[in-house]
Amino acid sequence: MSEAAKAKLDSTGGRIYEFLGGQLVVSEQEIFERACALPGDMVVLSGTLVEGIGNKHSDIDLYVIGDELPDAQRVGPRSYIAHDGGRVRAYYDYLSAGGFGFDVEYLTRAEVEGWKDEVLSLYERARASTKILRQHLSDGVGDGLHKLRVGRCVQNADEYAAFFDEDFWNKLAFIFYSNRKGGYPEFKDIMGAWGSGDYDTSLHIMRETMRFELAALCHLHGMTNGRTKWLFQNYKRLPERFQGLVREVMTWLNSERLTDEAKRDSILAGCDIIDRIYRADAIMLRERAPLSYTPEEALRMIEEEYAREVVHDRQTIAEYEHRRRVFTTAVPDIRSLFLASA
């Protein structure tokens, strides 16, 4: 649990949780009442308020993991209930007149084990290639696992702790990195729009690419919050050694470009910043090995993949030069590759 979400004992010895400097206070007793959990269920208090990045419009998330989903009688009347096969999958209730809400989701142990199996399978695919990973985890899996990671288990904590180890969370983070790291098709789209004189589109794609490149660095650092709306909060949580890079990205994202010349200059400056993000990636890849490949291992994999290509035409050569640049400074920089192909 983050420093922003504090747990303490009340005057009767019961545990309470404070969020947003005391704007929201939730007792453990209320958590149990709303969870409607059986004694053998795991109950996890989570959400962005628990993570420390939420605000006064955020909800409290509660996950209840048991052998089966509850029936409607056990859950009782609620503001909103989502059913699944005649059972309750989730419900939502307002916590107080202040507008805070309780978002309760029910999972089975078998479902969570299935999530884990999906992560481990996709991780093996991500680890075996340096290409951007276009396959994503099934809907709800990545976000659900992240919330389980940052949450606090308030019932059957020992069983919950045995469900996951730190290697598992790092593998989940590596999948997110592989989903967001540099992809040549996106780079080619930036060049294509530039080449046709459409600098607005080129700049737009560059902006999106840069945001996700820096997000990939966050995931290499071990962050598992993959929600796009929380990208900037993730940036703030990078180590101090990368905060200069974060400031450079934020300055670039928020700068004004009114003329075509300013847009062209900004796109080229964006190439330079992405180059620096790649250098930061290389640092993190070495620190995360062997769960991630090292830059040297990545380069060996790239050469093996290049040798298997049937055609080595201009586009293939350009793609592999771009992929090499992600991991080494021994090939032309991103600006040079961009100008040579645009």
mmCIF file of all heavy atoms in Angstrom, residues 174-201:
data_model
loop_
_atom_site.group_PDB
_atom_site.id
_atom_site.type_symbol
_atom_site.label_atom_id
_atom_site.label_comp_id
_atom_site.label_asym_id
_atom_site.label_seq_id
_atom_site.Cartn_x
_atom_site.Cartn_y
_atom_site.Cartn_z
ATOM 1 N N PHE A 174 7.199 -7.074 -18.280
ATOM 2 C CA PHE A 174 7.941 -7.242 -19.532
ATOM 3 C C PHE A 174 6.979 -7.395 -20.706
ATOM 4 O O PHE A 174 7.277 -6.934 -21.821
ATOM 5 C CB PHE A 174 8.870 -8.453 -19.445
ATOM 6 C CG PHE A 174 9.801 -8.584 -20.617
ATOM 7 C CD1 PHE A 174 10.913 -7.771 -20.723
ATOM 8 C CD2 PHE A 174 9.544 -9.498 -21.634
ATOM 9 C CE1 PHE A 174 11.766 -7.863 -21.816
ATOM 10 C CE2 PHE A 174 10.392 -9.603 -22.724
ATOM 11 C CZ PHE A 174 11.501 -8.785 -22.820
ATOM 12 N N ILE A 175 5.838 -8.025 -20.493
ATOM 13 C CA ILE A 175 4.830 -8.104 -21.553
ATOM 14 C C ILE A 175 4.371 -6.704 -21.935
ATOM 15 O O ILE A 175 4.284 -6.361 -23.122
ATOM 16 C CB ILE A 175 3.630 -8.960 -21.095
ATOM 17 C CG1 ILE A 175 4.028 -10.433 -21.011
ATOM 18 C CG2 ILE A 175 2.451 -8.796 -22.061
ATOM 19 C CD1 ILE A 175 2.966 -11.322 -20.390
ATOM 20 N N PHE A 176 4.086 -5.864 -20.933
ATOM 21 C CA PHE A 176 3.658 -4.501 -21.222
ATOM 22 C C PHE A 176 4.755 -3.729 -21.953
ATOM 23 O O PHE A 176 4.473 -2.940 -22.867
ATOM 24 C CB PHE A 176 3.280 -3.774 -19.929
ATOM 25 C CG PHE A 176 1.984 -4.240 -19.317
ATOM 26 C CD1 PHE A 176 1.851 -4.361 -17.954
ATOM 27 C CD2 PHE A 176 0.900 -4.547 -20.110
ATOM 28 C CE1 PHE A 176 0.653 -4.778 -17.383
ATOM 29 C CE2 PHE A 176 -0.298 -4.966 -19.563
ATOM 30 C CZ PHE A 176 -0.421 -5.083 -18.195
ATOM 31 N N TYR A 177 6.005 -3.936 -21.545
ATOM 32 C CA TYR A 177 7.120 -3.310 -22.262
ATOM 33 C C TYR A 177 7.119 -3.741 -23.727
ATOM 34 O O TYR A 177 7.243 -2.909 -24.636
ATOM 35 C CB TYR A 177 8.450 -3.690 -21.609
ATOM 36 C CG TYR A 177 9.651 -3.510 -22.513
ATOM 37 C CD1 TYR A 177 10.132 -2.237 -22.823
ATOM 38 C CD2 TYR A 177 10.301 -4.611 -23.080
ATOM 39 C CE1 TYR A 177 11.228 -2.064 -23.664
ATOM 40 C CE2 TYR A 177 11.388 -4.451 -23.916
ATOM 41 C CZ TYR A 177 11.851 -3.176 -24.215
ATOM 42 O OH TYR A 177 12.917 -3.012 -25.054
ATOM 43 N N SER A 178 6.960 -5.026 -23.957
ATOM 44 C CA SER A 178 7.006 -5.564 -25.320
ATOM 45 C C SER A 178 5.837 -5.067 -26.159
ATOM 46 O O SER A 178 5.958 -4.937 -27.381
ATOM 47 C CB SER A 178 7.013 -7.094 -25.275
ATOM 48 O OG SER A 178 8.143 -7.571 -24.559
ATOM 49 N N ASN A 179 4.709 -4.777 -25.537
ATOM 50 C CA ASN A 179 3.556 -4.227 -26.250
ATOM 51 C C ASN A 179 3.777 -2.779 -26.673
ATOM 52 O O ASN A 179 3.159 -2.309 -27.644
ATOM 53 C CB ASN A 179 2.304 -4.271 -25.372
ATOM 54 C CG ASN A 179 1.717 -5.656 -25.184
ATOM 55 O OD1 ASN A 179 1.149 -5.949 -24.124
ATOM 56 N ND2 ASN A 179 1.827 -6.530 -26.165
ATOM 57 N N ARG A 180 4.628 -2.050 -25.956
ATOM 58 C CA ARG A 180 4.731 -0.609 -26.167
ATOM 59 C C ARG A 180 6.073 -0.139 -26.713
ATOM 60 O O ARG A 180 6.203 1.029 -27.098
ATOM 61 C CB ARG A 180 4.440 0.117 -24.842
ATOM 62 C CG ARG A 180 2.957 0.158 -24.535
ATOM 63 C CD ARG A 180 2.653 0.823 -23.224
ATOM 64 N NE ARG A 180 1.267 1.296 -23.199
ATOM 65 C CZ ARG A 180 0.641 1.684 -22.108
ATOM 66 N NH1 ARG A 180 1.263 1.691 -20.951
ATOM 67 N NH2 ARG A 180 -0.614 2.090 -22.165
ATOM 68 N N LYS A 181 7.060 -0.997 -26.746
ATOM 69 C CA LYS A 181 8.377 -0.556 -27.221
ATOM 70 C C LYS A 181 8.335 -0.275 -28.723
ATOM 71 O O LYS A 181 7.366 -0.600 -29.406
ATOM 72 C CB LYS A 181 9.416 -1.634 -26.930
ATOM 73 C CG LYS A 181 9.205 -2.913 -27.737
ATOM 74 C CD LYS A 181 10.225 -3.958 -27.390
ATOM 75 C CE LYS A 181 9.983 -5.239 -28.178
ATOM 76 N NZ LYS A 181 10.942 -6.278 -27.881
ATOM 77 N N GLY A 182 9.426 0.295 -29.219
ATOM 78 C CA GLY A 182 9.485 0.773 -30.593
ATOM 79 C C GLY A 182 9.081 -0.230 -31.656
ATOM 80 O O GLY A 182 9.668 -1.307 -31.767
ATOM 81 N N GLY A 183 8.073 0.141 -32.434
ATOM 82 C CA GLY A 183 7.652 -0.676 -33.567
ATOM 83 C C GLY A 183 7.959 0.049 -34.866
ATOM 84 O O GLY A 183 7.653 1.244 -35.011
ATOM 85 N N TYR A 184 8.548 -0.647 -35.822
ATOM 86 C CA TYR A 184 8.916 -0.002 -37.074
ATOM 87 C C TYR A 184 7.703 0.503 -37.858
ATOM 88 O O TYR A 184 7.779 1.576 -38.477
ATOM 89 C CB TYR A 184 9.744 -0.943 -37.934
ATOM 90 C CG TYR A 184 10.217 -0.297 -39.216
ATOM 91 C CD1 TYR A 184 11.176 0.713 -39.189
ATOM 92 C CD2 TYR A 184 9.672 -0.662 -40.452
ATOM 93 C CE1 TYR A 184 11.590 1.340 -40.359
ATOM 94 C CE2 TYR A 184 10.078 -0.048 -41.616
ATOM 95 C CZ TYR A 184 11.037 0.952 -41.571
ATOM 96 O OH TYR A 184 11.442 1.576 -42.724
ATOM 97 N N PRO A 185 6.570 -0.210 -37.880
ATOM 98 C CA PRO A 185 5.411 0.325 -38.630
ATOM 99 C C PRO A 185 5.005 1.723 -38.176
ATOM 100 O O PRO A 185 4.645 2.570 -39.017
ATOM 101 C CB PRO A 185 4.310 -0.707 -38.347
ATOM 102 C CG PRO A 185 5.057 -1.987 -38.147
ATOM 103 C CD PRO A 185 6.297 -1.579 -37.402
ATOM 104 N N GLU A 186 5.042 1.990 -36.861
ATOM 105 C CA GLU A 186 4.715 3.321 -36.371
ATOM 106 C C GLU A 186 5.754 4.348 -36.852
ATOM 107 O O GLU A 186 5.405 5.459 -37.265
ATOM 108 C CB GLU A 186 4.646 3.320 -34.842
ATOM 109 C CG GLU A 186 3.448 2.597 -34.263
ATOM 110 C CD GLU A 186 3.560 1.078 -34.286
ATOM 111 O OE1 GLU A 186 4.656 0.553 -34.552
ATOM 112 O OE2 GLU A 186 2.534 0.423 -34.033
ATOM 113 N N PHE A 187 7.022 3.958 -36.803
ATOM 114 C CA PHE A 187 8.093 4.827 -37.277
ATOM 115 C C PHE A 187 7.919 5.111 -38.767
ATOM 116 O O PHE A 187 8.083 6.250 -39.230
ATOM 117 C CB PHE A 187 9.437 4.147 -36.997
ATOM 118 C CG PHE A 187 10.640 4.989 -37.283
ATOM 119 C CD1 PHE A 187 10.872 6.171 -36.596
ATOM 120 C CD2 PHE A 187 11.569 4.599 -38.238
ATOM 121 C CE1 PHE A 187 11.999 6.946 -36.851
ATOM 122 C CE2 PHE A 187 12.697 5.362 -38.499
ATOM 123 C CZ PHE A 187 12.907 6.541 -37.805
ATOM 124 N N LYS A 188 7.525 4.088 -39.515
ATOM 125 C CA LYS A 188 7.308 4.260 -40.953
ATOM 126 C C LYS A 188 6.133 5.199 -41.229
ATOM 127 O O LYS A 188 6.158 5.970 -42.189
ATOM 128 C CB LYS A 188 7.068 2.888 -41.602
ATOM 129 C CG LYS A 188 7.055 2.928 -43.119
ATOM 130 C CD LYS A 188 7.123 1.528 -43.727
ATOM 131 C CE LYS A 188 5.865 0.745 -43.429
ATOM 132 N NZ LYS A 188 5.826 -0.534 -44.200
ATOM 133 N N ASP A 189 5.097 5.130 -40.397
ATOM 134 C CA ASP A 189 3.960 6.044 -40.559
ATOM 135 C C ASP A 189 4.385 7.497 -40.359
ATOM 136 O O ASP A 189 3.898 8.398 -41.054
ATOM 137 C CB ASP A 189 2.857 5.689 -39.561
ATOM 138 C CG ASP A 189 2.102 4.420 -39.946
ATOM 139 O OD1 ASP A 189 2.207 3.993 -41.110
ATOM 140 O OD2 ASP A 189 1.434 3.853 -39.065
ATOM 141 N N ILE A 190 5.268 7.731 -39.383
ATOM 142 C CA ILE A 190 5.774 9.098 -39.165
ATOM 143 C C ILE A 190 6.514 9.574 -40.406
ATOM 144 O O ILE A 190 6.323 10.706 -40.876
ATOM 145 C CB ILE A 190 6.701 9.142 -37.933
ATOM 146 C CG1 ILE A 190 5.946 8.715 -36.668
ATOM 147 C CG2 ILE A 190 7.266 10.553 -37.742
ATOM 148 C CD1 ILE A 190 6.860 8.505 -35.467
ATOM 149 N N MET A 191 7.361 8.699 -40.957
ATOM 150 C CA MET A 191 8.122 9.060 -42.160
ATOM 151 C C MET A 191 7.210 9.273 -43.363
ATOM 152 O O MET A 191 7.416 10.189 -44.164
ATOM 153 C CB MET A 191 9.144 7.964 -42.465
ATOM 154 C CG MET A 191 10.233 7.804 -41.421
ATOM 155 S SD MET A 191 11.544 6.668 -41.918
ATOM 156 C CE MET A 191 10.642 5.109 -42.045
ATOM 157 N N GLY A 192 6.189 8.416 -43.491
ATOM 158 C CA GLY A 192 5.297 8.522 -44.644
ATOM 159 C C GLY A 192 4.542 9.835 -44.661
ATOM 160 O O GLY A 192 4.423 10.486 -45.716
ATOM 161 N N ALA A 193 4.026 10.245 -43.495
ATOM 162 C CA ALA A 193 3.300 11.513 -43.427
ATOM 163 C C ALA A 193 4.240 12.685 -43.691
ATOM 164 O O ALA A 193 3.882 13.648 -44.387
ATOM 165 C CB ALA A 193 2.629 11.651 -42.055
ATOM 166 N N TRP A 194 5.447 12.611 -43.150
ATOM 167 C CA TRP A 194 6.460 13.662 -43.393
ATOM 168 C C TRP A 194 6.743 13.756 -44.889
ATOM 169 O O TRP A 194 6.768 14.864 -45.453
ATOM 170 C CB TRP A 194 7.717 13.310 -42.619
ATOM 171 C CG TRP A 194 8.954 14.101 -42.953
ATOM 172 C CD1 TRP A 194 9.680 14.046 -44.114
ATOM 173 C CD2 TRP A 194 9.637 15.044 -42.116
ATOM 174 N NE1 TRP A 194 10.775 14.877 -44.052
ATOM 175 C CE2 TRP A 194 10.772 15.511 -42.834
ATOM 176 C CE3 TRP A 194 9.417 15.522 -40.826
ATOM 177 C CZ2 TRP A 194 11.662 16.426 -42.306
ATOM 178 C CZ3 TRP A 194 10.315 16.447 -40.310
ATOM 179 C CH2 TRP A 194 11.416 16.892 -41.035
ATOM 180 N N GLY A 195 6.972 12.611 -45.521
ATOM 181 C CA GLY A 195 7.330 12.603 -46.933
ATOM 182 C C GLY A 195 6.259 13.189 -47.836
ATOM 183 O O GLY A 195 6.559 13.717 -48.911
ATOM 184 N N SER A 196 4.995 13.108 -47.412
ATOM 185 C CA SER A 196 3.897 13.658 -48.208
ATOM 186 C C SER A 196 3.574 15.100 -47.819
ATOM 187 O O SER A 196 2.625 15.687 -48.347
ATOM 188 C CB SER A 196 2.647 12.790 -48.047
ATOM 189 O OG SER A 196 2.169 12.835 -46.713
ATOM 190 N N GLY A 197 4.351 15.668 -46.882
ATOM 191 C CA GLY A 197 4.128 17.038 -46.457
ATOM 192 C C GLY A 197 3.031 17.202 -45.420
ATOM 193 O O GLY A 197 2.645 18.327 -45.091
ATOM 194 N N ASP A 198 2.528 16.088 -44.891
ATOM 195 C CA ASP A 198 1.471 16.143 -43.875
ATOM 196 C C ASP A 198 2.132 16.156 -42.493
ATOM 197 O O ASP A 198 2.160 15.153 -41.773
ATOM 198 C CB ASP A 198 0.551 14.928 -44.033
ATOM 199 C CG ASP A 198 -0.648 14.969 -43.088
ATOM 200 O OD1 ASP A 198 -0.748 15.921 -42.294
ATOM 201 O OD2 ASP A 198 -1.464 14.025 -43.148
ATOM 202 N N TYR A 199 2.630 17.309 -42.114
ATOM 203 C CA TYR A 199 3.410 17.405 -40.875
ATOM 204 C C TYR A 199 2.526 17.298 -39.621
ATOM 205 O O TYR A 199 2.999 16.860 -38.580
ATOM 206 C CB TYR A 199 4.204 18.716 -40.862
ATOM 207 C CG TYR A 199 5.119 18.837 -42.054
ATOM 208 C CD1 TYR A 199 4.960 19.856 -42.990
ATOM 209 C CD2 TYR A 199 6.133 17.890 -42.276
ATOM 210 C CE1 TYR A 199 5.781 19.947 -44.101
ATOM 211 C CE2 TYR A 199 6.957 17.975 -43.387
ATOM 212 C CZ TYR A 199 6.774 19.006 -44.295
ATOM 213 O OH TYR A 199 7.586 19.081 -45.401
ATOM 214 N N ASP A 200 1.260 17.659 -39.747
ATOM 215 C CA ASP A 200 0.358 17.517 -38.603
ATOM 216 C C ASP A 200 0.189 16.048 -38.226
ATOM 217 O O ASP A 200 0.259 15.684 -37.053
ATOM 218 C CB ASP A 200 -1.005 18.138 -38.916
ATOM 219 C CG ASP A 200 -0.968 19.657 -38.964
ATOM 220 O OD1 ASP A 200 -0.289 20.249 -38.097
ATOM 221 O OD2 ASP A 200 -1.604 20.245 -39.851
ATOM 222 N N THR A 201 -0.049 15.209 -39.242
ATOM 223 C CA THR A 201 -0.196 13.769 -38.968
ATOM 224 C C THR A 201 1.110 13.173 -38.480
ATOM 225 O O THR A 201 1.136 12.378 -37.537
ATOM 226 C CB THR A 201 -0.681 13.038 -40.226
ATOM 227 O OG1 THR A 201 -1.965 13.544 -40.599
ATOM 228 C CG2 THR A 201 -0.787 11.536 -39.980
#
